[in-house]
Amino acid sequence: MDKNLLDIICCPVTRLPLEILDAARLDTLNAAIGNGVVRNASDEDVADPITEALISRDGRLVYPVRDGIPVLLAEESIQWSQVAG
């Protein structure tokens, strides 16, 4: 993820800055996805593992990054509380 891009984008819901989801939390997220317990804000199952993601500074919302492009759509966000709850 380009550092310059991270400096200008923000969470579309909270308007807080975003940061790269670290490897440990990414592993936790993908384990939850593998267990079938992750749904996005559109209430759709997240079935495919995520290779890269961004998380809001308050740690509430996760956004996937696909092919190096952050998907900053509110309906694509994942509540972290369902992963770490």
Side-chain angles (χ1 to χ4, degrees):
M1 175 65 47
D2 183 1
K3 169 85 170 95
N4 292 328
L5 181 60
L6 272 177
D7 289 341
I8 61 172
I9 61 175
C10 66
C11 173
V13 175
T14 65
R15 301 290 184 223
L16 292 171
L18 296 166
E19 53 194 41
I20 295 173
L21 189 67
D22 62 78
R25 291 189 291 177
L26 186 61
D27 289 344
T28 300
L29 175 60
N30 281 322
I33 290 170
N35 290 331
V37 298
V38 178
R39 299 181 73 77
N40 64 21
S42 292
D43 205 30
E44 298 172 343
D45 287 328
V46 178
D48 297 325
I50 296 174
T51 57
E52 188 176 11
L54 301 174
I55 189 165
S56 58
R57 180 96 17 107
D58 64 359
R60 282 187 16 208
L61 297 172
V62 176
Y63 296 90
V65 175
R66 296 187 185 118
D67 297 323
I69 301 168
V71 182
L72 299 179
L73 301 171
E75 58 270 11
E76 291 285 331
S77 67
I78 298 167
Q79 286 279 342
W80 182 255
S81 60
Q82 67 182 318
V83 175

